[in-house]
Structure formats: structure tokens, C-alpha cells
mmCIF file of all heavy atoms in Angstrom:
data_model
loop_
_atom_site.group_PDB
_atom_site.id
_atom_site.type_symbol
_atom_site.label_atom_id
_atom_site.label_comp_id
_atom_site.label_asym_id
_atom_site.label_seq_id
_atom_site.Cartn_x
_atom_site.Cartn_y
_atom_site.Cartn_z
ATOM 1 N N ALA P 1 0.376 -9.216 5.545
ATOM 2 C CA ALA P 1 1.585 -8.606 6.101
ATOM 3 C C ALA P 1 1.370 -8.188 7.552
ATOM 4 O O ALA P 1 2.236 -8.397 8.413
ATOM 5 C CB ALA P 1 2.000 -7.412 5.254
ATOM 6 N N ALA P 2 0.221 -7.591 7.839
ATOM 7 C CA ALA P 2 -0.069 -7.170 9.208
ATOM 8 C C ALA P 2 -0.131 -8.373 10.145
ATOM 9 O O ALA P 2 0.351 -8.315 11.287
ATOM 10 C CB ALA P 2 -1.374 -6.389 9.245
ATOM 11 N N LYS P 3 -0.716 -9.451 9.687
ATOM 12 C CA LYS P 3 -0.823 -10.658 10.509
ATOM 13 C C LYS P 3 0.548 -11.187 10.886
ATOM 14 O O LYS P 3 0.742 -11.735 11.991
ATOM 15 C CB LYS P 3 -1.620 -11.726 9.758
ATOM 16 C CG LYS P 3 -1.856 -12.993 10.553
ATOM 17 C CD LYS P 3 -2.705 -13.986 9.759
ATOM 18 C CE LYS P 3 -2.936 -15.265 10.559
ATOM 19 N NZ LYS P 3 -3.745 -16.252 9.788
ATOM 20 N N ASP P 4 1.530 -11.013 10.016
ATOM 21 C CA ASP P 4 2.886 -11.481 10.293
ATOM 22 C C ASP P 4 3.708 -10.492 11.114
ATOM 23 O O ASP P 4 4.887 -10.748 11.390
ATOM 24 C CB ASP P 4 3.614 -11.776 8.982
ATOM 25 C CG ASP P 4 3.202 -13.116 8.378
ATOM 26 O OD1 ASP P 4 2.748 -13.994 9.133
ATOM 27 O OD2 ASP P 4 3.337 -13.272 7.146
ATOM 28 N N GLY P 5 3.118 -9.360 11.480
ATOM 29 C CA GLY P 5 3.805 -8.426 12.352
ATOM 30 C C GLY P 5 4.361 -7.187 11.700
ATOM 31 O O GLY P 5 4.932 -6.322 12.384
ATOM 32 N N PHE P 6 4.218 -7.056 10.383
ATOM 33 C CA PHE P 6 4.681 -5.831 9.728
ATOM 34 C C PHE P 6 3.801 -4.655 10.123
ATOM 35 O O PHE P 6 2.576 -4.785 10.249
ATOM 36 C CB PHE P 6 4.654 -5.991 8.206
ATOM 37 C CG PHE P 6 5.780 -6.814 7.650
ATOM 38 C CD1 PHE P 6 5.582 -8.136 7.263
ATOM 39 C CD2 PHE P 6 7.048 -6.269 7.512
ATOM 40 C CE1 PHE P 6 6.618 -8.900 6.749
ATOM 41 C CE2 PHE P 6 8.094 -7.024 6.985
ATOM 42 C CZ PHE P 6 7.878 -8.346 6.610
ATOM 43 N N LYS P 7 4.423 -3.501 10.274
ATOM 44 C CA LYS P 7 3.705 -2.264 10.576
ATOM 45 C C LYS P 7 3.687 -1.299 9.399
ATOM 46 O O LYS P 7 3.070 -0.224 9.478
ATOM 47 C CB LYS P 7 4.350 -1.556 11.778
ATOM 48 C CG LYS P 7 4.391 -2.405 13.043
ATOM 49 C CD LYS P 7 3.003 -2.797 13.505
ATOM 50 C CE LYS P 7 3.055 -3.598 14.801
ATOM 51 N NZ LYS P 7 1.705 -4.077 15.220
ATOM 52 N N ALA P 8 4.364 -1.682 8.319
ATOM 53 C CA ALA P 8 4.438 -0.814 7.141
ATOM 54 C C ALA P 8 4.561 -1.673 5.887
ATOM 55 O O ALA P 8 5.000 -2.829 5.944
ATOM 56 C CB ALA P 8 5.623 0.143 7.237
ATOM 57 N N VAL P 9 4.173 -1.075 4.758
ATOM 58 C CA VAL P 9 4.291 -1.756 3.468
ATOM 59 C C VAL P 9 4.828 -0.789 2.422
ATOM 60 O O VAL P 9 4.738 0.434 2.568
ATOM 61 C CB VAL P 9 2.936 -2.325 2.987
ATOM 62 C CG1 VAL P 9 2.437 -3.394 3.947
ATOM 63 C CG2 VAL P 9 1.895 -1.231 2.814
ATOM 64 N N GLU P 10 5.385 -1.365 1.383
ATOM 65 C CA GLU P 10 5.770 -0.634 0.184
ATOM 66 C C GLU P 10 5.400 -1.514 -1.000
ATOM 67 O O GLU P 10 5.057 -2.685 -0.847
ATOM 68 C CB GLU P 10 7.271 -0.320 0.184
ATOM 69 C CG GLU P 10 8.152 -1.575 0.164
ATOM 70 C CD GLU P 10 9.639 -1.264 0.078
ATOM 71 O OE1 GLU P 10 10.094 -0.303 0.731
ATOM 72 O OE2 GLU P 10 10.340 -1.988 -0.654
ATOM 73 N N TYR P 11 5.442 -0.948 -2.195
ATOM 74 C CA TYR P 11 5.217 -1.702 -3.424
ATOM 75 C C TYR P 11 5.651 -0.828 -4.575
ATOM 76 O O TYR P 11 5.956 0.362 -4.394
ATOM 77 C CB TYR P 11 3.760 -2.146 -3.576
ATOM 78 C CG TYR P 11 2.723 -1.145 -3.123
ATOM 79 C CD1 TYR P 11 2.447 -0.008 -3.860
ATOM 80 C CD2 TYR P 11 2.009 -1.352 -1.940
ATOM 81 C CE1 TYR P 11 1.489 0.908 -3.443
ATOM 82 C CE2 TYR P 11 1.054 -0.442 -1.512
ATOM 83 C CZ TYR P 11 0.801 0.681 -2.268
ATOM 84 O OH TYR P 11 -0.141 1.597 -1.850
ATOM 85 N N LEU P 12 5.688 -1.419 -5.765
ATOM 86 C CA LEU P 12 6.141 -0.635 -6.911
ATOM 87 C C LEU P 12 5.161 0.480 -7.257
ATOM 88 O O LEU P 12 5.520 1.656 -7.245
ATOM 89 C CB LEU P 12 6.362 -1.544 -8.123
ATOM 90 C CG LEU P 12 7.566 -2.480 -8.074
ATOM 91 C CD1 LEU P 12 7.690 -3.253 -9.388
ATOM 92 C CD2 LEU P 12 8.850 -1.727 -7.775
ATOM 93 N N PHE P 13 3.911 0.103 -7.573
ATOM 94 C CA PHE P 13 2.982 1.100 -8.111
ATOM 95 C C PHE P 13 1.584 0.923 -7.511
ATOM 96 O O PHE P 13 1.103 -0.200 -7.406
ATOM 97 C CB PHE P 13 2.885 0.970 -9.636
ATOM 98 C CG PHE P 13 4.223 0.923 -10.319
ATOM 99 C CD1 PHE P 13 4.679 -0.240 -10.930
ATOM 100 C CD2 PHE P 13 5.035 2.039 -10.339
ATOM 101 C CE1 PHE P 13 5.910 -0.298 -11.553
ATOM 102 C CE2 PHE P 13 6.273 2.005 -10.953
ATOM 103 C CZ PHE P 13 6.722 0.841 -11.564
ATOM 104 N N PRO P 14 0.910 2.014 -7.184
ATOM 105 C CA PRO P 14 -0.458 1.934 -6.662
ATOM 106 C C PRO P 14 -1.532 2.189 -7.701
ATOM 107 O O PRO P 14 -2.722 2.107 -7.394
ATOM 108 C CB PRO P 14 -0.468 3.076 -5.640
ATOM 109 C CG PRO P 14 0.400 4.128 -6.274
ATOM 110 C CD PRO P 14 1.480 3.364 -7.020
ATOM 111 N N TYR P 15 -1.177 2.466 -8.942
ATOM 112 C CA TYR P 15 -2.084 3.156 -9.856
ATOM 113 C C TYR P 15 -3.184 2.285 -10.452
ATOM 114 O O TYR P 15 -4.099 2.800 -11.093
ATOM 115 C CB TYR P 15 -1.269 3.840 -10.967
ATOM 116 C CG TYR P 15 -0.127 4.653 -10.387
ATOM 117 C CD1 TYR P 15 1.201 4.243 -10.538
ATOM 118 C CD2 TYR P 15 -0.386 5.788 -9.615
ATOM 119 C CE1 TYR P 15 2.242 4.963 -9.973
ATOM 120 C CE2 TYR P 15 0.651 6.503 -9.040
ATOM 121 C CZ TYR P 15 1.964 6.086 -9.215
ATOM 122 O OH TYR P 15 2.978 6.797 -8.636
ATOM 123 N N ASP P 16 -3.117 0.977 -10.215
ATOM 124 C CA ASP P 16 -4.195 0.104 -10.677
ATOM 125 C C ASP P 16 -5.412 0.150 -9.754
ATOM 126 O O ASP P 16 -6.451 -0.434 -10.087
ATOM 127 C CB ASP P 16 -3.708 -1.346 -10.787
ATOM 128 C CG ASP P 16 -2.786 -1.573 -11.979
ATOM 129 O OD1 ASP P 16 -2.807 -0.742 -12.906
ATOM 130 O OD2 ASP P 16 -2.054 -2.582 -11.963
ATOM 131 N N PHE P 17 -5.286 0.825 -8.626
ATOM 132 C CA PHE P 17 -6.360 0.863 -7.632
ATOM 133 C C PHE P 17 -6.631 2.303 -7.217
ATOM 134 O O PHE P 17 -5.716 3.127 -7.178
ATOM 135 C CB PHE P 17 -5.970 0.044 -6.392
ATOM 136 C CG PHE P 17 -5.634 -1.381 -6.691
ATOM 137 C CD1 PHE P 17 -4.317 -1.763 -6.923
ATOM 138 C CD2 PHE P 17 -6.629 -2.344 -6.763
ATOM 139 C CE1 PHE P 17 -3.993 -3.082 -7.209
ATOM 140 C CE2 PHE P 17 -6.315 -3.664 -7.042
ATOM 141 C CZ PHE P 17 -5.004 -4.027 -7.275
ATOM 142 N N PRO P 18 -7.868 2.627 -6.880
ATOM 143 C CA PRO P 18 -8.149 3.963 -6.352
ATOM 144 C C PRO P 18 -7.387 4.178 -5.045
ATOM 145 O O PRO P 18 -7.268 3.265 -4.215
ATOM 146 C CB PRO P 18 -9.664 3.942 -6.109
ATOM 147 C CG PRO P 18 -10.182 2.815 -6.944
ATOM 148 C CD PRO P 18 -9.089 1.798 -6.994
ATOM 149 N N ALA P 19 -6.892 5.379 -4.856
ATOM 150 C CA ALA P 19 -6.129 5.678 -3.644
ATOM 151 C C ALA P 19 -6.958 5.419 -2.394
ATOM 152 O O ALA P 19 -6.443 4.933 -1.379
ATOM 153 C CB ALA P 19 -5.645 7.126 -3.681
ATOM 154 N N ALA P 20 -8.246 5.728 -2.442
ATOM 155 C CA ALA P 20 -9.102 5.546 -1.270
ATOM 156 C C ALA P 20 -9.197 4.076 -0.882
ATOM 157 O O ALA P 20 -9.260 3.744 0.314
ATOM 158 C CB ALA P 20 -10.490 6.119 -1.532
ATOM 159 N N GLU P 21 -9.201 3.186 -1.869
ATOM 160 C CA GLU P 21 -9.280 1.760 -1.572
ATOM 161 C C GLU P 21 -8.006 1.276 -0.890
ATOM 162 O O GLU P 21 -8.044 0.491 0.073
ATOM 163 C CB GLU P 21 -9.536 0.967 -2.849
ATOM 164 C CG GLU P 21 -9.776 -0.517 -2.618
ATOM 165 C CD GLU P 21 -10.277 -1.227 -3.852
ATOM 166 O OE1 GLU P 21 -10.227 -0.634 -4.950
ATOM 167 O OE2 GLU P 21 -10.730 -2.371 -3.715
ATOM 168 N N LEU P 22 -6.863 1.742 -1.362
ATOM 169 C CA LEU P 22 -5.601 1.386 -0.732
ATOM 170 C C LEU P 22 -5.517 1.954 0.682
ATOM 171 O O LEU P 22 -5.033 1.278 1.604
ATOM 172 C CB LEU P 22 -4.440 1.896 -1.577
ATOM 173 C CG LEU P 22 -4.326 1.306 -2.983
ATOM 174 C CD1 LEU P 22 -3.250 2.030 -3.776
ATOM 175 C CD2 LEU P 22 -4.035 -0.185 -2.926
ATOM 176 N N LYS P 23 -5.979 3.169 0.869
ATOM 177 C CA LYS P 23 -5.979 3.778 2.190
ATOM 178 C C LYS P 23 -6.837 2.974 3.163
ATOM 179 O O LYS P 23 -6.472 2.795 4.339
ATOM 180 C CB LYS P 23 -6.488 5.217 2.083
ATOM 181 C CG LYS P 23 -6.621 5.956 3.417
ATOM 182 C CD LYS P 23 -5.289 6.128 4.109
ATOM 183 C CE LYS P 23 -5.438 7.059 5.321
ATOM 184 N NZ LYS P 23 -4.199 7.060 6.159
ATOM 185 N N THR P 24 -7.955 2.476 2.697
ATOM 186 C CA THR P 24 -8.805 1.643 3.549
ATOM 187 C C THR P 24 -8.052 0.401 4.001
ATOM 188 O O THR P 24 -8.120 0.011 5.180
ATOM 189 C CB THR P 24 -10.086 1.250 2.798
ATOM 190 O OG1 THR P 24 -10.849 2.432 2.529
ATOM 191 C CG2 THR P 24 -10.927 0.286 3.623
ATOM 192 N N ARG P 25 -7.331 -0.237 3.094
ATOM 193 C CA ARG P 25 -6.563 -1.434 3.453
ATOM 194 C C ARG P 25 -5.471 -1.104 4.464
ATOM 195 O O ARG P 25 -5.203 -1.888 5.385
ATOM 196 C CB ARG P 25 -5.944 -2.069 2.207
ATOM 197 C CG ARG P 25 -6.952 -2.480 1.154
ATOM 198 C CD ARG P 25 -7.803 -3.660 1.585
ATOM 199 N NE ARG P 25 -8.880 -3.932 0.650
ATOM 200 C CZ ARG P 25 -9.321 -5.143 0.346
ATOM 201 N NH1 ARG P 25 -8.785 -6.205 0.912
ATOM 202 N NH2 ARG P 25 -10.322 -5.292 -0.503
ATOM 203 N N LEU P 26 -4.822 0.028 4.298
ATOM 204 C CA LEU P 26 -3.817 0.454 5.274
ATOM 205 C C LEU P 26 -4.446 0.655 6.650
ATOM 206 O O LEU P 26 -3.954 0.141 7.663
ATOM 207 C CB LEU P 26 -3.155 1.754 4.813
ATOM 208 C CG LEU P 26 -2.265 1.689 3.572
ATOM 209 C CD1 LEU P 26 -1.916 3.102 3.105
ATOM 210 C CD2 LEU P 26 -0.987 0.900 3.840
ATOM 211 N N ASP P 27 -5.529 1.389 6.689
ATOM 212 C CA ASP P 27 -6.154 1.721 7.966
ATOM 213 C C ASP P 27 -6.736 0.490 8.658
ATOM 214 O O ASP P 27 -6.618 0.343 9.888
ATOM 215 C CB ASP P 27 -7.252 2.773 7.763
ATOM 216 C CG ASP P 27 -6.698 4.129 7.361
ATOM 217 O OD1 ASP P 27 -5.469 4.328 7.491
ATOM 218 O OD2 ASP P 27 -7.486 4.975 6.899
ATOM 219 N N GLU P 28 -7.365 -0.379 7.897
ATOM 220 C CA GLU P 28 -7.959 -1.582 8.481
ATOM 221 C C GLU P 28 -6.918 -2.474 9.148
ATOM 222 O O GLU P 28 -7.238 -3.208 10.106
ATOM 223 C CB GLU P 28 -8.688 -2.386 7.403
ATOM 224 C CG GLU P 28 -9.996 -1.782 6.930
ATOM 225 C CD GLU P 28 -10.651 -2.582 5.824
ATOM 226 O OE1 GLU P 28 -9.970 -3.462 5.233
ATOM 227 O OE2 GLU P 28 -11.833 -2.340 5.543
ATOM 228 N N ASN P 29 -5.689 -2.392 8.679
ATOM 229 C CA ASN P 29 -4.643 -3.281 9.169
ATOM 230 C C ASN P 29 -3.555 -2.563 9.966
ATOM 231 O O ASN P 29 -2.534 -3.167 10.302
ATOM 232 C CB ASN P 29 -4.019 -4.025 7.985
ATOM 233 C CG ASN P 29 -5.004 -4.959 7.318
ATOM 234 O OD1 ASN P 29 -5.371 -5.986 7.877
ATOM 235 N ND2 ASN P 29 -5.483 -4.580 6.127
ATOM 236 N N GLY P 30 -3.785 -1.287 10.279
ATOM 237 C CA GLY P 30 -2.835 -0.537 11.091
ATOM 238 C C GLY P 30 -1.476 -0.384 10.451
ATOM 239 O O GLY P 30 -0.438 -0.427 11.129
ATOM 240 N N LEU P 31 -1.452 -0.187 9.139
ATOM 241 C CA LEU P 31 -0.211 -0.125 8.390
ATOM 242 C C LEU P 31 0.116 1.290 7.924
ATOM 243 O O LEU P 31 -0.773 2.082 7.624
ATOM 244 C CB LEU P 31 -0.304 -1.030 7.157
ATOM 245 C CG LEU P 31 -0.391 -2.537 7.421
ATOM 246 C CD1 LEU P 31 -0.788 -3.271 6.151
ATOM 247 C CD2 LEU P 31 0.933 -3.069 7.956
ATOM 248 N N THR P 32 1.405 1.562 7.828
ATOM 249 C CA THR P 32 1.926 2.798 7.246
ATOM 250 C C THR P 32 2.408 2.520 5.834
ATOM 251 O O THR P 32 3.035 1.488 5.569
ATOM 252 C CB THR P 32 3.102 3.329 8.086
ATOM 253 O OG1 THR P 32 2.635 3.679 9.391
ATOM 254 C CG2 THR P 32 3.741 4.557 7.436
ATOM 255 N N GLN P 33 2.109 3.435 4.928
ATOM 256 C CA GLN P 33 2.646 3.346 3.567
ATOM 257 C C GLN P 33 4.041 3.958 3.577
ATOM 258 O O GLN P 33 4.205 5.156 3.796
ATOM 259 C CB GLN P 33 1.749 4.094 2.590
ATOM 260 C CG GLN P 33 2.198 4.008 1.141
ATOM 261 C CD GLN P 33 1.996 2.622 0.555
ATOM 262 O OE1 GLN P 33 0.939 2.036 0.683
ATOM 263 N NE2 GLN P 33 3.030 2.096 -0.082
ATOM 264 N N ALA P 34 5.064 3.135 3.342
ATOM 265 C CA ALA P 34 6.444 3.588 3.456
ATOM 266 C C ALA P 34 6.998 4.164 2.158
ATOM 267 O O ALA P 34 7.817 5.086 2.184
ATOM 268 C CB ALA P 34 7.337 2.432 3.915
ATOM 269 N N LEU P 35 6.570 3.613 1.022
ATOM 270 C CA LEU P 35 7.193 3.987 -0.257
ATOM 271 C C LEU P 35 6.379 3.434 -1.401
ATOM 272 O O LEU P 35 5.780 2.360 -1.285
ATOM 273 C CB LEU P 35 8.614 3.394 -0.328
ATOM 274 C CG LEU P 35 9.392 3.568 -1.639
ATOM 275 C CD1 LEU P 35 10.121 4.906 -1.646
ATOM 276 C CD2 LEU P 35 10.398 2.429 -1.842
ATOM 277 N N PHE P 36 6.318 4.170 -2.502
ATOM 278 C CA PHE P 36 5.945 3.606 -3.800
ATOM 279 C C PHE P 36 6.653 4.407 -4.874
ATOM 280 O O PHE P 36 7.335 5.392 -4.590
ATOM 281 C CB PHE P 36 4.420 3.554 -4.000
ATOM 282 C CG PHE P 36 3.714 4.885 -4.001
ATOM 283 C CD1 PHE P 36 3.683 5.682 -5.133
ATOM 284 C CD2 PHE P 36 3.061 5.331 -2.858
ATOM 285 C CE1 PHE P 36 3.026 6.895 -5.143
ATOM 286 C CE2 PHE P 36 2.395 6.550 -2.852
ATOM 287 C CZ PHE P 36 2.376 7.337 -3.999
ATOM 288 N N ASN P 37 6.516 3.960 -6.123
ATOM 289 C CA ASN P 37 7.232 4.578 -7.243
ATOM 290 C C ASN P 37 6.334 5.529 -8.018
ATOM 291 O O ASN P 37 5.133 5.274 -8.182
ATOM 292 C CB ASN P 37 7.735 3.510 -8.212
ATOM 293 C CG ASN P 37 8.801 2.615 -7.614
ATOM 294 O OD1 ASN P 37 9.205 2.784 -6.470
ATOM 295 N ND2 ASN P 37 9.247 1.646 -8.394
ATOM 296 N N ALA P 38 6.930 6.558 -8.567
ATOM 297 C CA ALA P 38 6.242 7.407 -9.529
ATOM 298 C C ALA P 38 5.970 6.606 -10.800
ATOM 299 O O ALA P 38 6.630 5.594 -11.073
ATOM 300 C CB ALA P 38 7.080 8.639 -9.848
ATOM 301 N N PRO P 39 5.009 7.011 -11.612
ATOM 302 C CA PRO P 39 4.746 6.289 -12.864
ATOM 303 C C PRO P 39 6.023 6.126 -13.697
ATOM 304 O O PRO P 39 6.785 7.083 -13.870
ATOM 305 C CB PRO P 39 3.723 7.184 -13.565
ATOM 306 C CG PRO P 39 2.979 7.848 -12.443
ATOM 307 C CD PRO P 39 4.040 8.113 -11.401
ATOM 308 N N PRO P 40 6.271 4.914 -14.221
ATOM 309 C CA PRO P 40 7.554 4.604 -14.856
ATOM 310 C C PRO P 40 7.559 4.679 -16.368
ATOM 311 O O PRO P 40 8.518 4.221 -16.998
ATOM 312 C CB PRO P 40 7.782 3.162 -14.419
ATOM 313 C CG PRO P 40 6.397 2.581 -14.475
ATOM 314 C CD PRO P 40 5.452 3.697 -14.047
ATOM 315 N N GLY P 41 6.510 5.197 -16.990
ATOM 316 C CA GLY P 41 6.385 5.057 -18.428
ATOM 317 C C GLY P 41 5.665 3.758 -18.752
ATOM 318 O O GLY P 41 4.831 3.283 -17.976
#
């Protein structure tokens, strides 16, 4: 996404991955986390 020019990302759920790992991906690519969903059941 960063390579294509996006500066932010969203997705449904982050919970399959440790938050720190996702944060690393954001920081490495200069991205802002715009939105995700609360656990849906």
C-alpha cells in the first residue's frame, strides 16, 4: 500500500497479530492506522 502512495490503512480486525508487530509494519512504511473494528463475536 505504501509503495502505491497510500499514507494510511484500515482493515477489519487486528487481533490475529500482536499489536507491536502491526505497529512495526506501520512505522516501517510511514503509514497511519485509520480504523479497525472492535471484536465482532
